[in-house]
């Protein structure tokens, strides 16, 4: 029994979809499905949900590197088996949630989680990520798996989270703060709508591998891929290829996505941009895009100190100055962007002024400004 | 183990936040010691670390562009990946990813997880992403021959299918919804599963011009970020009144209940002030507090959730629930990022979800017909105009769909709407007007 | 002495510019130039300005058709000579201001102005236009002088102002209300930023006078003029000409501006669009564009009843519902545009949804709406 | 008089608002009776009314497109206009307009106005627009041979020049400013006149690719609408503190002074409430009122004018005054309407206005070089990007110039700013990365 390469269609099963979530719901969840009355955050990372039926579910939320080994997952399973009748879930931001159906089971679970550490010394299951605080950084693949990455993902996230660790476990910020990271402009995630976004960017136009381009790419697709029309066909040493008008290039990497013979990544050219002020919820204000406030910081492995520093500056200025319930973007809009740059001590440069399709809608067409 | 020398990565073992480096190392060690009959290179984790160390040194990634890999009959679910220094790092020479369609809102029984672990240790790198940004369980790194084997075991032994990649429907995703959230206006998990099952063919066999994503948020809080990351965002809402428990309101005012379920407890914000914290922050200013009773002019409420979030024990969503449906969100490539645009203010969301399925059908037909290659729905909507999109959906224009009416006067008309039509005789005109 | 057509350059004077305003300032103005301390509106159309020196100037503002004959101007001069030592001014919205330097002179001036009427019965000098009320409609040439007009100007303005006359002389609106009119999309004026704007629009693509086009126009300029690229060159009956892709045409008239052989105007096709919610001042909120809320109403000379009705509906709904100091656009934004259409009882149609360059920025990207 | 039959226009003699029809009729009669040696057809007003009546009937205008007319040596100031039914309406066969450059803010001595009237009765239609939208005195309708005659008399007898039309500097305009307004932050009239005189050549001889307008508002109230209608908008402002007279504030609170100088007197809005009407409406929330004293945190004030407008006897603009300079406003053709964009947050505005003249010079140079035909400055700014425009102005980028930073990551860099520049060797790259 098993896959038979000589007879691949034999007993083939397809289109069965994912497993039914109903099989995986803990009994207390299943029983009270749709009957929840209210919730409370008992302490950072600990949620209580109370049902119409009077039943309760206690949830312990812990952070983690999204990248996890099967060894680690097995450890999670061990914990879930021990405390939670074999159920566990992940959140939409890559945290892990252990649920128990009585307060009595809560403390042993928490104690168990707390003491577990990796060999290197880091915590395996830091508790937190709830309420008006910082939760896990949503991120992407980086140098660990993706071919278009301008920066690493897991490495930068680890560096930033180590520094902001306190805020993961406290709920002392003016509102939810969501940090996200994407390693290139494809932005796999909601980086474009995050309170703070760390984004991998290139600054050099693609190199063209003339020798191989015609074999590796469909030239018309490569030409068509460029949003600024910077790519033209050409012939080099008798070989069909393309040429890039560097002055029109904005290093978006879309040509590389379509054509592997046009790599952009560069030790000096690629690095980090920081965006702020996006949000997703409709609470009070409507969802908003993040805005670029640091156009570039170099790639500085292993701990990206300038990136970490910039994120901290922003978070600290916000934490100090914003009002309760005020998201980062709402704070900046209220105090004015001129004050934002003052209070965060970030330099404002011409790179931050939009010059893409809707640029004009971001220009200040009034005399309302602060000296 | 012998080979590995990763001084830079080792730095990332320090600090409190869980270290992915430590975790990969523990997996590397486990692979070195295991009795399991590994079908992939034992050294895969070692080589991966070494390769990553090299990337840290070079400040450039070391994966080749794409690469073909997949399972027979499917066009998606596998991302091919090859190392660009295969001689030095043979164990990660091919390092393909499998996207496994997660069950709605990531609930698991350990039994299932352990089976995944067993399979992935044996036939893969032993490394995963829990989860990918779209929602899938990401099995991170295996060799080409293993792919069909894994698929066979997944479907036969785990009763579990792959998710999407390529120009197809991508793995749908949802918030936790009614499973554990009192704000859920419809059953996000069932909607997500039901539509996933309905559209298995579109999910597995790329037939679109580009990717299409759908996500299900139970309420306007948007915990699965559908409004920013899905071509179709289904977001719970209600039509009737917010339910008020006046006694519980008093309890908040008296300080007995903590605002926002205690979510601000980490700092001393002073005693709860219902006027400052709720009434004044209500974006529509439709709330009133006279010291005793909380009033909501529900007709003017835009259901932003703020008051309910702040006093969850006193306020509840209405009873006549359903969802708003928005379309077109996407990341910035090419035309700039988009958030989804409100298209259906309200739709009931009940099994068998026929209304939304029909709507999706109409939109896919139009997108297939009119969309250019690699044009997301949102971009097509921009190119053709929102009014055209409404036509396609069979929906009447409504001010709810816009932030404000157009400020430019460049209005297109249909010829049929203009008395006399468009064709005119210049000779006639010249009778009235000399040149 | 005089112009000599045979010797046009003789004694020619050029580039002397306008007369120096300083010659024309009334003495009290000249003396207190830059020294004004504050103002008061004593009653509608009557302003008092008080100087640091203690001196005062009383201004009586009266409306008028901007189009005025020399006979009428002479009458204005008579009044100014009689009451104002021979000085008078116009405002930036085509009102006339008579100034006197003492309260004693005010009443006789006002009485004099009040009693003057045109033969047809209309007032010559209605007092008003100050404070939180309606002032004169800024407008353009219309059928009286311009070649591109889709509607008349003076006629529509007269019809509207007759109906809103009361509000010119009262200060009972929530804030300033500025109505403007432009007879075609060229929008000669600040129609694009008015509380209420009446705009002449076409709805039929240009006719092409193939017989004459090549003589009357430079074809490449005509082709280039079209913002939507709807115009192509062609040959008709052996003559070079252009052809218009009707489906791409948005009737903007820019081709006609460049090429007289492409007229658009049409009895049925041309008419009125109404825009609302623009403003110019920086008071409280920043300047804003007006937004189209009625895509089309027919030309209905002589009194344009549907246009008048729509303007009245808007003004009345605003007057009833808005808060003190709240401009029309701020009111609509506060109550939401869905409520605006309800309260003004105007139909919302797909024509009002933007589909030009920045269209996307006007779509509702949130779940925040009112049923 | 005999010929005229205008039933539709006659309807416009009714109603209270001054009737332009009645006025034209009175001019028609005056022309029929006058002893003046009319150089233009006596019946010009009659024919104009008849022609307008025809337009009302046809619902189409009856003027031909443009037509050449002008004075020797100037490229602007006259708009040629011919009737498209000249046989029926011979008196308005040619009906050209002259644009006469108004003196700053429209103050006149009657002596001057009477001279204009005398000239225009004799040599024109006797009809004017007081004033045109740009600001000129519009002399509405004359015949071709009269144009030079009028110009001669204007310049010789009235010491008065024409304004602009065509692709040149258009007649500048300003608000009443220091003449009668306590809010004026600089002398708008002098600035307007001074720049008009400086740029006479640019005003009269079209040398640009399109029109260029400048307008001067004394403060952010914007009474000459410069921010919406001028390529360069000069708007007064101040740098220091709003001057407060606390006693006068008390008088407002006590109801002794009426808010907004009495501008709301037509309706009963209830007693003045300083908190509701001023403190809470301040857009920056930088004001405080403790029942006795008004406080302004001037550093956070954005000088919107609201509080000053509302309590003009208590609050005054600061003493360190000047102007903000904004660029690029225009009507919608082609790319959509634009409001001017803040470019120079603060400039002193004092004679001889050298700084602003130099700035204008730089901008015109750039616009002349880079601008396409019929491209307004604002459109060029959009096409080239605002950062480029700042370069041209020699000004550093500042967050004050934008509403918010860019949300897309599509940043252009200068090659010089990138370590190693842009040129790279693919062979080098391939040494590190196999294909
Ligand atoms: C578990 C999770 C849903 C899931 O399916 O996994 C979840 C669960 C809850 N969310 Fe959420 N949210 C979750 C992701 C999100 C996201 C998505 C994201 O960040 O990518 C958002 C949108 C964020 C944004 O606007 O940028 C989100 C915006 C909210 C909000 C609105 C917060 C705001 O101030 O704008 C609330 C309301 C509140 O906190 O009072 C909320 C409220 C809640 C409640 C209180 C709902 C309930 O009654 O159970 C849950 C616990 C809140 C807590 O953690 O403090 N949830 N929530 C997600 C946990 C992510 C994590 O591990 O940190
Ligand atoms: C694995 C994942 C990132 C992760 O680490 O989580 C991912 C990885 C890639 N994405 Fe993505 N995307 C992933 C979620 C997203 C999301 C988020 C989402 O789905 O909610 C987005 C933004 C939302 C959207 O779709 O707009 C996203 C927007 C993109 C784009 C830009 C699409 C656009 O229209 O702007 C590309 C470029 C492309 O399609 O050519 C892209 C392309 C890619 C490719 C295939 C790279 C490429 O250039 O072809 C990446 C493969 C990396 C690898 O080595 O596995 N990925 N990608 C995510 C999928 C995991 C999963 O199935 O759960
Ligand atoms: C005379 C005139 C200037 C001129 O050079 O001719 C003028 C004169 C004054 N304006 Fe104005 N404004 C004049 C056109 C404007 C315009 C331009 C326009 O409408 O085209 C605006 C911008 C309108 C807009 O925002 O759309 C304008 C917006 C203001 C404002 C701000 C009003 C607001 O609520 O936004 C004030 C402040 C106030 O009224 O308290 C103001 C205040 C004033 C004051 C009180 C200034 C003063 O202290 O003397 C003057 C008398 C106000 C009044 O009429 O109630 N003036 N004012 C213009 C009279 C036009 C008319 O005949 O009606
Ligand atoms: C006379 C006047 C209207 C009025 O009744 O007051 C006027 C009349 C004409 N304008 Fe204008 N514009 C007049 C002020 C304006 C203004 C307002 C302003 O200057 O403050 C604007 C909007 C501001 C702006 O410049 O953007 C304006 C925007 C236009 C446009 C559109 C320009 C654009 O870039 O969008 C055109 C079209 C063109 O230039 O080809 C135009 C073109 C015209 C032409 C020349 C018609 C044409 O297609 O060639 C009109 C001649 C009519 C005639 O028979 O006299 N007119 N025009 C105004 C000039 C009087 C004066 O000198 O005082
Ligand atoms: S953001 Fe870019 S580099 Fe990162 S995973 Fe997505 S496609 Fe790859
Ligand atoms: S990186 Fe982007 S802008 Fe540059 S050439 Fe490639 S597709 Fe064009
Ligand atoms: S989106 Fe709403 S329903 Fe879903 S988990 Fe978040 S708060 Fe609950
Ligand atoms: S949900 Fe939002 S809009 Fe509705 S009453 Fe509550 S705070 Fe106000
Ligand atoms: S708005 Fe149009 S029709 Fe009216 S005067 Fe200006 S150019 Fe002529
Ligand atoms: S009216 Fe405007 S859109 Fe139509 S053909 Fe002419 S220039 Fe083009
Ligand atoms: S713009 Fe300012 S300074 Fe000029 S008249 Fe208006 S209020 Fe006075
Ligand atoms: S001018 Fe405007 S911003 Fe400044 S204090 Fe007054 S109201 Fe506030």
């Amino acid at each position: 029994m098993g896959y038979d390469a000589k007879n691949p269609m034999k007993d083939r099963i397809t289109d069965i979809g994912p497993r039914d979530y109903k099989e995986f719901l803990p009994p207390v969840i299943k029983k009270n499905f749709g009957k929840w009355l209210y919730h409370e955050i008992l302490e950072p990372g600990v949620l209580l949900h109370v049902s119409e039926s009077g039943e309760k579910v206690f949830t312990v939320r812990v952070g983690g590197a999204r990248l996890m080994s099967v060894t680690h997952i097995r450890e999670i399973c061990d914990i879930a088996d021990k405390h939670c009748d074999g159920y566990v879930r992940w959140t939409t931001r890559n945290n892990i949630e252990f649920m128990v159906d009585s307060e009595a089971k809560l403390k042993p679970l928490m104690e168990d989680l707390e003491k577990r550490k990796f060999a290197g010394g880091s915590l395996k299951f830091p508790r937190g990520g709830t309420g008006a605080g910082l939760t896990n950084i949503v991120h992407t693949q980086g140098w660990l798996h993706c071919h278009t990455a301008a920066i690493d993902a897991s490495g930068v996230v680890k560096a930033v989270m180590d520094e902001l660790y306190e805020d993961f476990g406290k709920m002392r910020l003016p509102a939810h703060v969501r940090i996200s990271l994407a390693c290139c402009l494809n932005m796999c995630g909601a980086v474009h709508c995050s309170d703070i976004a760390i984004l991998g960017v290139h600054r050099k136009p693609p190199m063209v591998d003339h020798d191989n381009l015609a074999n590796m790419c469909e030239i018309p697709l490569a030409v068509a891929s460029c949003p600024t029309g910077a790519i033209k066909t050409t012939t080099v040493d008798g070989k069909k290829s393309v040429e890039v008008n560097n002055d029109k290039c904005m290093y978006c990497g879309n040509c590389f996505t379509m054509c592997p013979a046009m790599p952009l990544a560069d030790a000096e050219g690629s690095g980090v941009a920081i965006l702020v002020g996006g949000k997703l919820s409709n609470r009070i204000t409507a969802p908003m895009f993040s805005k670029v406030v640091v156009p570039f910081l170099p790639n500085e492995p292993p701990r990206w100190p300038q990136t970490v520093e910039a994120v901290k500056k922003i978070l600290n200025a916000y934490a100090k100055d914003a009002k309760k319930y005020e998201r980062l973007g709402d704070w900046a809009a209220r105090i004015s962007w001129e004050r934002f740059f003052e209070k965060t001590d970030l330099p404002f440069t011409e790179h931050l002024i939009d010059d893409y399709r809707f640029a004009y809608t971001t220009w200040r067409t009034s005399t309302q400004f602060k000296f | 183990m012998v080979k590995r020398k990763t001084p830079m990565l080792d730095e990332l073992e320090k600090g409190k936040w869980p270290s992915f480096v430590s975790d990969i190392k523990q997996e590397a060690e486990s692979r070195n010691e295991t009795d399991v009959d590994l079908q992939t290179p034992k050294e895969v984790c070692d080589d991966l670390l070494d390769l990553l160390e090299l990337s840290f040194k070079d400040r450039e990634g070391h994966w080749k562009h794409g690469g073909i890999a997949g399972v027979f009959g499917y066009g998606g679910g596998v991302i091919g990946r090859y190392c660009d220094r295969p001689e030095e790092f043979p164990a990660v020479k091919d390092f393909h990813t499998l996207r496994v369609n997660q069950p709605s809102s990531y609930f698991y029984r350990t039994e299932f997880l352990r089976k995944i672990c067993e399979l992935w240790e044996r036939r893969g790198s032993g490394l995963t992403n829990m989860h990918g940004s779209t929602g899938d369980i990401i099995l991170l790194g295996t060799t080409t021959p293993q792919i069909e084997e894994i698929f066979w075991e997944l479907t036969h032994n785990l009763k579990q299918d792959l998710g999407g990649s390529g120009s197809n429907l991508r793995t749908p995703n949802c918030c936790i919804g009614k499973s554990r959230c009192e704000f859920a206006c419809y059953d996000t998990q069932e909607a997500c599963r039901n539509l996933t099952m309905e559209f298995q063919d579109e999910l597995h066999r790329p037939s679109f011009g580009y990717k299409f994503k759908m996500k299900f948020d139970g309420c306007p809080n948007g915990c699965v970020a559908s409004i920013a990351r899905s071509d179709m965002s289904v977001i719970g809402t209600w039509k009737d009144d917010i339910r008020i428990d006046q006694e519980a309101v008093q309890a908040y005012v008296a300080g007995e209940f903590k605002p926002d379920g205690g979510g601000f407890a980490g700092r001393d914000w002073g005693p709860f002030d219902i006027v400052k914290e709720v009434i004044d922050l209500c974006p529509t200013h439709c709330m009133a507090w006279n010291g005793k009773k909380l009033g909501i002019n529900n007709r003017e409420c835009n259901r932003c959730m703020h008051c309910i979030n702040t006093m969850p024990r006193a306020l509840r969503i209405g009873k006549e629930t359903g969802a708003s449906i928005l379309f077109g969100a996407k990341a910035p490539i090419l035309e700039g990022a988009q958030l989804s645009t409100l298209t259906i203010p309200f739709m009931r969301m009940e099994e068998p979800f026929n209304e939304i399925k029909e709507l999706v059908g109409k939109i896919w037909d139009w997108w297939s017909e009119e969309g250019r290659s690699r044009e997301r729905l949102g971009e097509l909507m921009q190119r053709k105009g929102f009014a055209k999109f409404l036509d396609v959906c069979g929906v009447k224009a409504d001010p709810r769909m816009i932030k404000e009416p157009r400020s430019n006067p460049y209005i297109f008309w249909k010829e049929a709407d203009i008395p006399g039509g468009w064709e005119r005789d210049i000779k006639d005109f010249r009778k009235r007007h000399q040149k």
Side-chain angles (χ1 to χ4, degrees), chain A, chain B:
Chain A
M1 265 279 311
Y3 177 69
D4 177 2
K6 292 188 206 94
N7 199 355
M9 296 314 285
K10 175 141 179 284
D11 293 337
R12 197 169 186 85
I13 298 177
T14 67
D15 300 303
I16 55 168
R19 283 284 280 273
D20 190 339
Y21 63 95
K22 291 189 283 292
E23 302 172 37
F24 292 161
L25 299 178
V28 59
I29 293 285
K30 204 160 187 174
K31 260 197 292 175
N32 295 288
F33 191 90
K35 296 202 193 122
W36 300 104
L37 254 188
Y38 67 88
H39 73 276
E40 255 175 64
I41 304 176
L42 301 177
E43 56 179 286
V46 185
L47 299 163
L48 159 67
H49 285 80
V50 181
S51 159
E52 285 172 359
S53 70
E55 283 189 282
K56 298 179 176 178
V57 62
F58 298 84
T59 303
V60 179
R61 180 182 298 170
V62 295
R66 175 184 80 149
L67 185 142
M68 43 184 72
S69 68
V70 297
T71 305
H72 193 61
I73 298 174
R74 282 170 174 147
E75 188 169 346
I76 292 168
C77 291
D78 293 343
I79 298 166
D81 286 343
K82 190 159 144 211
H83 300 273
C84 313
D85 304 316
Y87 295 90
V88 64
R89 84 173 283 260
W90 272 257
T91 72
T92 60
R93 294 191 74 91
N94 310 317
N95 286 316
I96 307 156
E97 291 185 338
F98 296 98
M99 280 158 277
V100 292
D101 55 11
S102 83
E103 191 152 11
K105 298 179 183 168
L106 192 55
K107 225 173 138 204
L109 167 63
M110 283 160 67
E111 283 169 3
D112 189 352
L113 288 165
E114 247 160 61
K115 60 170 197 253
R116 294 174 190 255
K117 293 192 178 156
F118 281 111
S122 64
L123 302 175
K124 280 184 173 160
F125 303 109
R127 206 170 64 234
T130 51
L134 195 68
T135 180
N136 209 342
I137 298 186
V138 156
H139 66 90
T140 46
Q141 302 277 25
W143 292 332
L144 226 138
H145 198 267
C146 195
H147 58 232
T148 67
I151 59 175
D152 187 38
S154 304
V156 185
V157 167
K158 164 77 174 146
V160 172
M161 281 309 279
D162 275 345
E163 278 288 325
L164 303 184
Y165 174 76
E166 287 292 308
D167 276 306
F168 181 77
K170 304 247 157 74
M171 303 184 295
R172 62 185 182 185
L173 298 175
H176 285 198
V177 172
R178 309 312 214 196
I179 307 186
S180 305
L181 177 144
C183 23
C184 84
L185 297 202
N186 283 341
M187 287 200 195
C188 302
V191 155
H192 55 301
C193 298
S194 294
D195 297 282
I196 303 180
I198 302 168
L199 177 66
V201 295
H202 300 293
R203 291 185 305 166
K204 299 194 179 188
M207 281 166 277
V208 184
D209 188 348
H210 295 299
D211 281 349
N212 300 299
L213 190 132
N215 292 333
M216 291 167 81
C217 316
E218 291 200 54
I219 290 180
L221 289 186
V223 171
S225 74
C226 180
T228 70
I231 305 177
K232 281 196 311 194
T233 55
T234 187
T235 307
V236 177
D237 296 333
K239 285 185 187 150
K240 282 215 152 59
S241 184
V242 300
E243 93 191 308
V244 175
N245 178 342
N246 286 348
D247 290 320
K248 276 181 144 183
C249 176
M250 58 188 191
Y251 341 105
C252 71
N254 200 45
C255 52
F256 179 63
T257 294
M258 297 308 287
C259 170
M262 299 179 73
L264 290 87
D266 185 272
E268 311 272 11
S270 309
V272 169
I274 296 179
L275 294 83
V276 308
K279 72 186 284 251
L280 297 157
S281 82
N282 288 278
R283 185 179 192 170
I284 307 177
T285 55
M288 304 192 266
F289 289 125
S290 318
K291 288 117 201 134
V292 186
V293 295
V294 178
F296 188 81
L297 292 171
N299 259 322
E300 298 174 314
R303 296 204 78 101
W304 278 266
Q306 291 190 64
T307 298
V308 170
E309 191 49 35
V311 171
K312 270 176 66 185
K313 268 188 188 173
I314 294 164
L315 193 67
N316 289 341
Y318 163 69
K320 218 175 105 185
D321 203 57
K323 295 185 181 167
K324 192 175 174 187
Y325 304 106
E326 193 171 48
R327 293 287 293 263
L328 205 153
D330 294 318
W331 165 66
R334 176 174 60 81
I335 64 168
S336 81
W337 285 95
E338 46 269 40
R339 289 289 177 269
F340 171 88
F341 285 94
E342 260 176 54
K343 295 199 181 198
T344 54
D345 193 27
L346 296 172
F348 185 87
T349 70
E350 74 271 18
H351 307 99
L352 306 180
I353 301 181
D354 196 359
D355 48 12
Y356 204 52
R357 283 182 57 207
F358 302 135
Y360 170 70
T361 64
T362 70
W363 299 356
R364 187 149 340 175
T365 51
S366 80
T367 59
Q368 296 188 344
F369 68 88
K370 300 181 181 184
F371 278 106
Chain B
M1 274 303 304
V2 202
K3 184 176 156 198
R4 226 173 49 211
K5 230 176 82 193
T6 56
M8 289 178 108
L9 289 183
D10 294 351
E11 283 297 313
L12 291 177
E13 293 200 86
K14 301 175 185 165
K16 289 202 170 157
W17 190 251
S19 169
F20 71 100
V21 175
S22 299
D23 193 10
I24 303 177
K25 283 188 179 174
Q26 88 175 355
E27 191 62 25
E29 261 152 71
S30 149
R31 288 181 81 83
N32 279 316
E33 289 156 16
T34 189
D35 312 327
V36 173
D37 177 19
L38 299 179
Q39 302 296 307
T40 46
K42 216 186 210 14
E43 307 74 19
V44 55
C45 292
D46 297 299
D47 273 14
L48 185 67
L49 285 169
D50 280 330
L51 183 73
L52 189 60
E53 179 78 13
L54 182 65
S55 296
F56 272 46
K57 215 177 114 242
D58 288 351
R59 291 178 286 158
E60 287 169 0
H62 279 290
W63 300 104
K64 286 189 192 177
H65 188 293
I68 289 155
V71 301
F72 191 84
Y74 278 14
V78 183
I79 306 289
R81 187 63 76 230
Y82 297 89
C83 173
D84 72 7
R85 303 276 279 267
E87 290 81 6
E88 289 149 88
F89 309 94
V92 292
K93 183 170 71 75
D94 39 353
F95 195 69
H96 313 312
T97 273
L98 281 102
R99 295 185 175 172
V100 177
N101 194 337
Q102 84 291 354
S104 284
S105 30
Y106 311 121
F107 279 93
Y108 297 102
R109 293 195 58 162
T110 51
E111 185 201 338
F112 174 80
L113 284 177
R114 289 187 196 277
K115 281 191 194 155
I116 291 259
C117 290
E118 188 280 324
L119 166 63
W120 192 240
E121 179 179 24
R122 189 162 32 85
R123 297 204 178 271
S125 65
L127 300 177
T128 75
N129 284 157
M130 293 296 278
H131 297 80
S133 295
T134 307
D136 295 284
I137 301 170
I138 304 288
L139 300 180
L140 203 62
T142 191
T143 59
T144 311
Q146 290 306 308
I147 293 174
E148 287 287 0
E149 303 278 359
I150 294 164
F151 183 66
W152 202 98
E153 291 198 29
L154 264 182
T155 48
H156 287 77
N157 306 342
L158 281 91
K159 312 284 176 226
Q160 172 63 49
D161 209 336
L162 293 181
S165 69
S167 291
N168 57 5
L169 173 64
R170 295 304 183 82
T171 310
N173 202 357
C174 61
C175 77
I176 191 169
K178 286 184 185 274
S179 267
R180 203 192 58 200
C181 181
E182 72 270 32
F183 303 146
C185 299
Y186 71 98
D187 186 346
T188 56
Q189 292 169 282
E190 188 53 33
C192 182
R193 173 168 173 80
N194 190 303
L195 271 77
T196 303
M197 296 311 290
E198 173 83 16
F199 298 123
Q200 281 291 298
D201 192 34
E202 287 80 359
L203 186 86
H204 293 308
R205 296 175 195 84
S207 66
F208 298 153
Y210 204 10
K211 59 187 84 166
F212 191 95
K213 299 187 176 170
M214 43 176 84
K215 289 190 166 71
F216 300 84
D217 272 311
C219 82
N221 279 334
C223 296
V224 78
S226 72
I227 201 163
R229 314 190 280 156
S230 35
D231 302 270
M232 178 168 84
S233 317
V234 182
I235 305 179
T237 197
W238 65 94
K239 271 194 132 165
D240 52 349
D241 293 356
I242 293 173
R243 288 173 280 174
I244 310 180
D245 174 344
Q246 298 287 357
E247 269 172 49
V249 175
Q250 293 290 357
Y252 278 103
V253 173
E256 286 157 37
F257 298 160
K258 286 191 221 140
D260 237 73
F264 287 83
R267 179 150 143 195
D268 182 8
W269 290 96
F272 177 64
D273 178 340
I274 191 170
V275 174
K276 247 177 77 184
E277 302 188 32
V278 182
I279 311 295
D280 288 353
L281 293 183
C282 166
T284 61
H285 304 294
C286 69
M287 305 185 80
W289 169 248
N290 63 8
K292 283 190 188 134
K293 220 182 138 184
L294 182 70
I296 299 181
N297 177 357
N298 281 280
R299 205 177 116 70
E300 298 307 315
C301 165
N302 67 19
R303 301 166 314 288
C304 82
M305 295 295 296
H306 174 62
C307 57
I308 305 179
N309 288 339
T310 308
M311 305 191 292
R313 290 182 75 159
L315 301 180
R316 296 179 72 184
I317 57 165
K319 291 175 154 182
E320 202 186 336
T321 57
S324 297
I325 309 188
L326 301 84
F327 289 94
K330 56 175 289 291
I333 302 282
L334 304 176
E335 296 291 339
Q338 263 178 262
L339 284 155
S340 278
T341 299
L342 186 67
T343 306
I344 311 289
F346 187 83
M347 187 186 277
R348 256 174 239 296
M349 289 295 290
E350 276 148 24
E351 282 179 78
F353 303 100
N354 283 341
E355 203 178 341
I356 191 166
K357 286 176 190 167
E358 273 163 39
L359 181 64
V360 169
K362 288 187 217 170
I363 289 169
W364 281 346
D365 284 349
W366 178 64
W367 181 45
S368 298
E369 209 157 294
E370 299 282 352
R372 297 176 180 152
S373 138
R374 290 189 88 229
E375 185 175 47
R376 290 289 282 266
L377 177 65
E379 289 164 323
L380 179 64
M381 287 163 64
Q382 287 204 47
R383 182 159 65 80
K384 293 283 175 183
F386 190 69
K388 177 68 210 167
F389 181 66
L390 291 179
D391 249 16
V392 168
C393 297
V395 169
K396 236 178 79 45
D398 189 298
R400 286 159 191 83
M401 299 161 182
I402 54 168
K403 287 186 193 127
E404 58 183 37
R406 68 189 315 140
S407 59
N408 64 72
Y410 296 147
I411 301 172
F412 286 96
W413 291 88
K414 296 191 177 115
E415 181 167 12
D417 295 341
I418 314 301
W422 282 341
E423 290 313 324
R424 291 174 287 164
D425 189 352
I426 183 80
K427 298 223 165 62
D428 242 42
F429 185 81
R430 284 285 176 244
K431 271 181 217 150
R432 294 192 305 278
H433 308 272
Q434 299 174 22
K435 77 175 158 61

